[in-house]
Structure formats: structure tokens, C-alpha cells
């Protein structure tokens, strides 16, 4: 599977694997042919089967809606199905046939939402279409502008990295508690924003930055071996050092410690996610301990 911007490039077998994996964690999985507005499935023999018009395929206007909506980027929205509300994460897919012809699909991952806040919002007169922006905001950290912990906890990122070589990098600010205690939380917030934006500017569009909590971040890198991930951390550290000289707010330097762990074929299970994260987290604390020892010498 290959990614360009936010579009997934996959063959039919890889799409089938994604659908089977999605069925393990989501309430429903749908494959939509965005050109013809048809709902598709893949049978046991690996054949693509037309299951009829999708729910948008009623008229020409809705047909165009599907084609435009899913051809360029991943989206998140809410949808009514038989008096129940589902959060729908969509992933656009380009499949290249053996003759070189390209065909566009959209993989939809549906999760039923039962929390009271969603229904209260609807009862207050907000349309489902208007909730899309709220859904997107739920997965972004308002302070730093990177992904929030929900992306990690709900494994939203998994379909993008399934069966790929991935690397987890845990990043933790150095002496952040001291910054908050001595200079106040406003200074701490400014430092967090500086670090998040520096990391974001140092990575590819296919890489993810997730704020796990407090001053801890997780970088998820695809097809980035350990030594390249380590080089990226050096680039981030160098950029922060340069910004400390130019933009140092109240003369507070922003420094980050990193821990790295890699998986050569990511299976997306909760066990493998936790194993990778814990390994990277341990390596990050090893780095911290080594720095503390060097400071004592």
C-alpha cells in the first residue's frame, strides 16, 4: 500500500485485508465506488461484487457529492442509520489494475456513538452535516494543532500503517515541570506550541504527530528505519536550538528527549501498539537518565 498526500494506493488484496481488519474494530465497514455511487464487497474468492447503490446514489447531485467528497482526502462525519448515530471515518483509495487503469474507491469505517452529548447536540437543532467540523476538532489538540490522544486510543491511525514498516518516536520535553513552576503555565503552553510546530515542520505529510498528554508526543513514521528516525530527531533538536536563539520567550530553551522503536510489519493490534509505545517510552527515559548522568560529571 502506498500513500500520496491523504489518498491510499492499494491493490484489491490489500483493500480486502483492510476491510477484514476494520471489521475487527468497527461496527460496520463499507467500500464505496465513488465514480458509480455503488456499494461494493469482496467475496471469499477475492472477487469484487456490486451490492447496489450506496445511500448517496439517489440522484445526480448526491452522485457528485460522493465523487467530490472522497477523491482527495480523509474525512470524518456523523451519519443516521435506523435511528442510531455512527461516526464515519472515510479513507479514499486508488486501485491500479494490471492493465494500468486506475479505479477510485472510498473505505468507510463506522463506529456507533451512544454518548449523550451527541444526541443532545442533535436535539438542539444542529444538522448532522454541521457536526463534521466538530468531529474533526475532536481529533486535534486545540493548543498545539497536532492530533489528540483520541487518535491513539481509538486506533484511528491504524489503517494508514497496516502491514507497513513503522517507527514510533516518543518525544518528551526536558525539565517541563521546572518551566511551568518557575515561569508559569502560559510560558509552558508557548513552549509546547513551539515544539509541536517544529516537529511538524520536520516531518513528511504521511507522518503523524500525536499529543499523548502533557509534554509527551508520539511521532508515527512510515517506512522510516531506526537510523533515519534518529536523524530526524537530530534535525528537530537542531531546529529547536536555532529557534531558542531567535524566538526564546523569557529566555526559556525548549529541549526534547526522544525514544525510538520500530516494527518491520505493523499488524495494528492493540498488543503491538502498546509494545511499540512502551519500548519507545523506555528508550526515551534511558536517554533522560544518560543526560542527567552527564550533567553530574
Amino acid at each position: 500500500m502506498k500513500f500520496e498526500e491523504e489518498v491510499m494506493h492499494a491493490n484489491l488484496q490489500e483493500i480486502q485485508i483492510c476491510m477484514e481488519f476494520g471489521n475487527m474494530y468497527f461496527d460496520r465497514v463499507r467500500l464505496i465506488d465513488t465514480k458509480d455511487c455503488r456499494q461494493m464487497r469482496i467475496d471469499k474468492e477475492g472477487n469484487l461484487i456490486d451490492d447496489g447503490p450506496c445511500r448517496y446514489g439517489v440522484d445526480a447531485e448526491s452522485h457528485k457529492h460522493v465523487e467530490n467528497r472522497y477523491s482527495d482526502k480523509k474525512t470524518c462525519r456523523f451519519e443516521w442509520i435506523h435511528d442510531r448515530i455512527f461516526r464515519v471515518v472515510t479513507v479514499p483509495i486508488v486501485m491500479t489494475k494490471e492493465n494500468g487503469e486506475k479505479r477510485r474507491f472510498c473505505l468507510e469505517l463506522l463506529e456507533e456513538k451512544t454518548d449523550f452529548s451527541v444526541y443532545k447536540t442533535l436535539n438542539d437543532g444542529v444538522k448532522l452535516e454541521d457536526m463534521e467540523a466538530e468531529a474533526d476538532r475532536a481529533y486535534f489538540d486545540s493548543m498545539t494543532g497536532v492530533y489528540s490522544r483520541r487518535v491513539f486510543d481509538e486506533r484511528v491511525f491504524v489503517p494508514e500503517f497496516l502491514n507497513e514498516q513503522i517507527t514510533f518516536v516518543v518525544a518528551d520535553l526536558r525539565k517541563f515541570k521546572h518551566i511551568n513552576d518557575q515561569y508559569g503555565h502560559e510560558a509552558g503552553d508557548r513552549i509546547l506550541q513551539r515544539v509541536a510546530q517544529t516537529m511538524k515542520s520536520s516531518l513528511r505529510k504521511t507522518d503523524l504527530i500525536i499529543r499523548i498528554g502533557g509534554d509527551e508526543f508520539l511521532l508515527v513514521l512510515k517506512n522510516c528505519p531506526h537510523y533515519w528516525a534518529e536523524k530526524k530527531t537530530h534535525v528537530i533538536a537542531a531546529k529547536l536550538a536555532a529557534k531558542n536563539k531567535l524566538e526564546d520567550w523569557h529566555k526559556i530553551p525548549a529541549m526534547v528527549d526522544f525514544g525510538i522503536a520500530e516494527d518491520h510489519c505493523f499488524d495494528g493490534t492493540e498488543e503491538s501498539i502498546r509494545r511499540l509505545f512502551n519500548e519507545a517510552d523506555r528508550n526515551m527515559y534511558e536517554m533522560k537518565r544518560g543526560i542527567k548522568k552527564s550533567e553530574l560529571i
Side-chain angles (χ1 to χ4, degrees), residues 13-28:
Q13 183 180 12
E14 291 169 333
I15 295 174
Q16 185 177 23
I17 292 172
C18 286
M19 294 181 71
E20 291 173 352
F21 180 82
N23 280 315
M24 295 171 58
Y25 295 101
F26 291 87
D27 297 301
R28 301 186 185 190

Side-chain angles (χ1 to χ4, degrees), residues 210-269:
I210 303 169
R211 186 184 177 194
I212 297 297
D215 60 327
E216 188 173 50
F217 296 85
L218 172 66
L219 314 183
V220 185
L221 315 177
K222 186 178 71 122
N223 294 329
C224 183
H226 190 287
Y227 66 93
W228 276 113
E230 191 171 6
K231 285 181 178 292
K232 284 180 180 286
T233 65
H234 293 324
V235 169
I236 293 170
K239 285 186 176 181
L240 282 173
K243 286 189 175 184
N244 288 338
K245 295 178 180 179
L246 297 174
E247 305 174 13
D248 194 7
W249 195 69
H250 284 281
K251 303 298 180 181
I252 309 170
M255 294 178 286
V256 178
D257 298 313
F258 298 96
I260 302 172
E262 64 179 334
D263 189 334
H264 293 283
C265 187
F266 180 56
D267 63 14
T269 62

Side-chain angles (χ1 to χ4, degrees), residues 69-292:
R69 185 186 189 93
Y70 300 137
S71 60
D72 299 322
K73 62 181 180 179
K74 295 184 289 292
T75 64
C76 180
R77 71 176 193 279
F78 288 91
E79 177 178 325
W80 278 109
I81 302 177
H82 302 306
D83 295 323
R84 291 187 293 169
I85 295 178
F86 291 81
R87 180 176 61 87
V88 185
V89 177
T90 68
V91 181
I93 300 174
V94 173
M95 184 182 76
T96 304
K97 299 180 181 180
E98 293 182 358
N99 62 6
E101 180 186 348
K102 295 185 184 295
R103 189 171 177 182
R104 288 184 175 272
F105 297 92
C106 173
L107 185 65
E108 296 186 331
L109 309 171
L110 286 75
E111 177 187 28
E112 185 174 3
K113 304 301 290 183
T114 57
D115 50 298
F116 176 76
S117 61
V118 173
Y119 288 93
K120 182 179 185 302
T121 303
L122 290 173
N123 290 333
D124 288 342
V126 178
K127 295 180 180 179
L128 283 175
E129 304 87 72
D130 297 333
M131 295 177 69
E132 292 182 25
E134 292 297 326
D136 286 336
R137 279 196 288 271
Y139 291 96
F140 284 89
D141 179 60
S142 59
M143 182 193 301
T144 61
V146 301
Y147 285 109
S148 70
R149 188 186 175 98
R150 285 186 63 177
V151 170
F152 178 78
D153 290 339
E154 298 179 14
R155 300 189 293 277
V156 175
F157 68 95
V158 166
E160 300 183 23
F161 297 92
L162 189 62
N163 297 324
E164 299 284 356
Q165 180 188 27
I166 72 164
T167 303
F168 275 16
V169 180
V170 171
D172 189 86
L173 270 71
R174 195 178 304 171
K175 298 180 179 180
F176 187 65
K177 185 178 183 301
H178 171 75
I179 292 173
N180 278 331
D181 291 343
Q182 185 168 349
Y183 300 101
H185 288 281
E186 182 183 356
D189 291 348
R190 292 285 294 271
I191 295 297
L192 282 173
Q193 291 166 355
R194 183 195 305 175
V195 170
Q197 293 308 309
T198 302
M199 291 192 295
K200 191 173 182 178
S201 68
S202 305
L203 301 180
R204 302 165 297 179
K205 290 183 178 180
T206 51
D207 298 328
L208 299 183
I209 307 176
I210 303 169
R211 186 184 177 194
I212 297 297
D215 60 327
E216 188 173 50
F217 296 85
L218 172 66
L219 314 183
V220 185
L221 315 177
K222 186 178 71 122
N223 294 329
C224 183
H226 190 287
Y227 66 93
W228 276 113
E230 191 171 6
K231 285 181 178 292
K232 284 180 180 286
T233 65
H234 293 324
V235 169
I236 293 170
K239 285 186 176 181
L240 282 173
K243 286 189 175 184
N244 288 338
K245 295 178 180 179
L246 297 174
E247 305 174 13
D248 194 7
W249 195 69
H250 284 281
K251 303 298 180 181
I252 309 170
M255 294 178 286
V256 178
D257 298 313
F258 298 96
I260 302 172
E262 64 179 334
D263 189 334
H264 293 283
C265 187
F266 180 56
D267 63 14
T269 62
E270 185 173 358
E271 180 183 359
S272 65
I273 292 171
R274 292 296 173 185
R275 175 183 55 80
L276 266 178
F277 181 82
N278 290 336
E279 182 183 345
D281 200 47
R282 285 195 301 271
N283 291 336
M284 182 270 295
Y285 278 105
E286 283 292 331
M287 180 179 180
K288 280 187 180 292
R289 281 192 286 270
I291 290 171
K292 286 181 179 178

